[in-house]
Amino acid sequence: MRFEVQVKNRVIVWNLNHEFREMLKPMAASFGWSVEDFLRRYSRNELPAQVPWHTDDDDDDQPKTPKGFTAAAFMSSDREMWERIKRAAVLDNKAPADYIWDCIVAAVCSDEESMVLAPDGRVIGDQFYIRKFEIQGSEI
């Protein structure tokens, strides 16, 4: 079944087949909505409790390396990885501990961007899996 959602200046068309509907049911239920209502609000980025998307302009908002954070675990456990970290840190003009911390923060931000969160903040889905059922998003 095709399901269309008007979003600002375009229409998103979803393949709301049985598989997709069954995947969305528990997500929609966590909000107390129908599958169609959930998909409509999801398509319009209107789900409450969602983590805002990170942009390169947000780099100043990223957490700084905490005091006391060290790279000691990498230095002692995996010599080859430690050399790779040091080399990459040089490229980014950072101390190895700052480089490692920035990598951790970047990985967390990346994962958060794909999360669908319930109103209480629990992870209930993956946006990239949901988007597999998008047939088209055409300009109008």
Side-chain angles (χ1 to χ4, degrees):
M1 171 184 150
R2 290 171 56 100
F3 182 74
E4 295 184 4
V5 179
Q6 175 75 39
V7 180
K8 293 186 183 176
N9 60 345
R10 66 188 190 117
V11 174
I12 298 176
V13 181
W14 296 96
N15 178 12
L16 193 50
N17 61 17
H18 178 74
E19 177 188 1
F20 190 35
R21 182 176 290 281
E22 290 302 308
M23 182 187 80
L24 293 178
K25 275 183 183 178
M27 292 183 219
S30 68
F31 290 92
W33 301 334
S34 69
V35 167
E36 291 80 5
D37 206 21
F38 173 85
L39 194 51
R40 192 174 296 110
R41 291 180 190 203
Y42 169 83
S43 299
R44 295 178 180 150
N45 294 316
E46 296 174 348
L47 297 182
Q50 296 308 295
V51 177
W53 280 67
H54 172 77
T55 65
D56 290 337
D57 297 338
D58 298 333
D59 284 341
D60 292 337
D61 297 337
Q62 295 302 320
K64 302 298 179 219
T65 307
K67 289 185 187 234
F69 181 82
T70 70
F74 293 96
M75 292 186 305
S76 62
S77 66
D78 188 335
R79 193 78 192 139
E80 184 180 328
M81 181 54 73
W82 175 241
E83 293 303 318
R84 292 172 64 192
I85 289 168
K86 288 192 314 186
R87 188 171 50 235
V90 167
L91 179 67
D92 278 359
N93 198 28
K94 295 178 180 173
D98 292 332
Y99 177 80
I100 293 167
W101 181 256
D102 289 349
C103 289
I104 292 168
V105 170
V108 169
C109 288
S110 176
D111 286 346
E112 284 179 332
E113 287 177 354
S114 66
M115 293 176 187
V116 176
L117 301 176
D120 63 5
R122 287 177 299 113
V123 176
I124 58 171
D126 183 333
Q127 292 193 48
F128 295 114
Y129 188 71
I130 291 173
R131 290 288 176 189
K132 287 173 38 176
F133 291 91
E134 184 176 342
I135 296 172
Q136 68 186 40
S138 58
E139 301 289 324
I140 58 171

